[in-house]
Amino acid sequence: MNAVLQYAVQGLAAGSFYALAALGLAIIFGVLGVVNFAHGAFYMLGAVTAAVLLDTLALPLWWSLLVVPVLMFGFGVVVERLLVQWLLRLDPLYNFLLTFGLTLVLVELVKQRYGVSGLPYKLPGALSGRVDLAGVVLPRYQLFVFLFSVAICVLVWVVMTRTRVGMIVRASTEKPELARALGINVGRWVTPVFGFGVALAGLAGVLAAPFRAITADMGNNFAIILFAVVVIGGLGSIVGAVVAGFLVGLVEAFGQAYAPTFAQILIFVLMALIILVRPAGLFGRKEATA
Amino acid sequence: MRSKRIGAGASAMTAVLLLGACGGGGPGGSDGDFTEGKLVLAVLNDQSGIYKDASGPNSVKAVRMAVADYQKKYGDRAVVDEIEVTSTDHQNKPDIANSKASELYERGGADVILDVPTSSAALAVANQAKKHKRVFLDVSAATTELTGGQCNKYTFQWAYNTYMLANGTGTTVTENGGKNWQIIYPDYEFGQNMTRSFTEAIKKAGGTVQGTIPTPFPNDNFATFLTKAGSTNPDVIGTMQAGGDLINVVKQFNESGLKEKGIDLAVGLMLITDIHSLGVDQFAGTMFTDAWYWNMDAESRAWADRFRDETGTRPTFEHAGNYSAALQYLEAVQEAGTDDADAVVGKLEGKKINDVFLRNGEIRAKDHLVVHDAYLARVKKPSEVKEDWDYEEIVTTIPAAKAFPPAEASNCSL
């Protein structure tokens, strides 16, 4: 029982990274229709930026959780204005290729500047160590990661469903023509939404910094699993991305525990099953497949 | 022989003649015993990927240092005036390594290929060396196959192999009380090979391996693998992961609380660049086997200072190994008076060497494994670190005869 609980928390912690990043990916896809292949690279940039800020300015994790997403938002805005926007009217494949190319460029730039063996990152004392919850010993940082990302996901959900901005974004996602007819300037929201999605990937990167190797390649494998997450949750579905993120984390953890050789394959088996049974994903709308 | 000036003049003439003859004419006057009148040392390694920092461009610089030292030592008496060092990227892919090696030997005029990390890539290059009858000095690949089942006359393994790593760490940690082991390993050739070597060494030293857990490669989430490994309460968890995967393992091990339960982490393959990138505090106390350490004595340190002047950083054992391999190759060429591979191999075989990298070294004639002293090292505590890259304390020296498998055990026939 003890072990099972431990595996579950580890799965939820791993799932937190997937959920946050997939949330950004889903929002970008929803509003821009862009399959952002550079999401893994943005996640990597978040972690690298946090490590550099710690090294040069001694900026601790707490501040990085605030500062890095802001920087990444700015970076996302620049990328959207300079590159992505020009291809929005064309076949989605063009932006897919663009973001894929962008990934290669960003990864190589980080390699050139910071080498390949990775950057150090030290966890703040308050978050290191273990907590004892009724006999189950859990790493404090894993719990923090889980709770923090749940809070962010809830926050995003509230903004999306309870505020004017959120309603405009959702209207732009679901019925852009109608939204325009009602006098909403849909185009105005494209840039900030892209920036916001990038910021979420960066935030996942900051959370990963104390726990994962910070290297230029850290986003590569991550991005592949991320796409599985988004497909499982349903392309463009915000709730789906989050639920699927945690689900994939759990599948990974229990796979590692009970069938180590198949741990990673299980995620893709799950994806294949979902595609067979519900092609639009767990929370996807039927139109999403059209 | 002849004077340097005449030699240089003649070799310039030769070059002109060769140009005129579209490369068709054989070398005339000077350096007549050298193809195209020059010696070409080709470094083939990872210039941009995961092993770039461990070896990469700085190994090319180390080889250049060896050339400079050779020229300084022999001056006018050098048997060859023109020595070229080239650099090629194999991206750790066996197919690319294979075609690049073929190209280097055939059209690049390479007399020797050096370095070649990644076991599968190294085996491909060994095959090309055999085919073209040219020398291959491998420094950075670990598989025992290079000088075992797939050995050949022209291939040498200069720095280390999986036996050395397993024997050093597995044996010593077990003898020091770490009787019960769990091993996690990346599920591919290197990881499986390492796990076999470790299991053998642990059993021989009187320990038990409670379990082995394969993990995907590459992978960034090891939390549950570690929890599972710790569930049988072993004394030691051995990790065979390398590079970025190793850093993931160590970060997550330190978070897991297994250390407080009295479980130690033993690392199969660690390079000083791994310690540097993760930070010494995360690794403090970890034991591992090293082929060489830059600060292990005055001689190494003096060379490491020169290396730092050239590169701005401290050398890994792979950098020092490349320097040593290039230097000893040049010495053998000097002795042979030609770049003819068979003659040079003849001079290398059985040679006993002491240089900045090899201590009590011997190039074994039977299988071309270069045996030498290895070291059991411990990562220092942050409070013990006195300068940049001052990360290791050498606990014991493992004498050459014990560090590597005995020649009788080798299944190599040249």
Side-chain angles (χ1 to χ4, degrees), chain B residues 160-175:
Chain B
Y160 75 124
N161 62 17
T162 55
Y163 180 97
M164 180 202 99
L165 299 170
N167 190 51
T169 311
T171 307
T172 320
V173 171
T174 307
E175 281 172 355

Side-chain angles (χ1 to χ4, degrees), chain A residues 44-112:
Chain A
M44 176 272 290
L45 277 185
V48 168
T49 311
V52 171
L53 288 176
L54 180 70
D55 183 46
T56 54
L57 303 174
L59 201 71
L61 182 77
W62 309 109
W63 278 104
S64 277
L65 285 172
L66 192 70
V67 172
V68 174
V70 172
L71 291 174
M72 291 302 294
F73 177 86
F75 183 66
V77 166
V78 171
V79 168
E80 201 277 338
R81 284 286 92 192
L82 280 181
L83 303 166
V84 173
Q85 66 151 329
W86 306 106
L87 302 174
L88 283 179
R89 278 184 204 88
L90 304 173
D91 189 293
L93 204 56
Y94 286 91
N95 255 321
F96 183 78
L97 287 175
L98 171 80
T99 49
F100 179 66
L102 187 63
T103 303
L104 299 179
V105 172
L106 291 174
V107 168
E108 281 313 309
L109 282 176
V110 170
K111 273 186 192 169
Q112 289 303 323

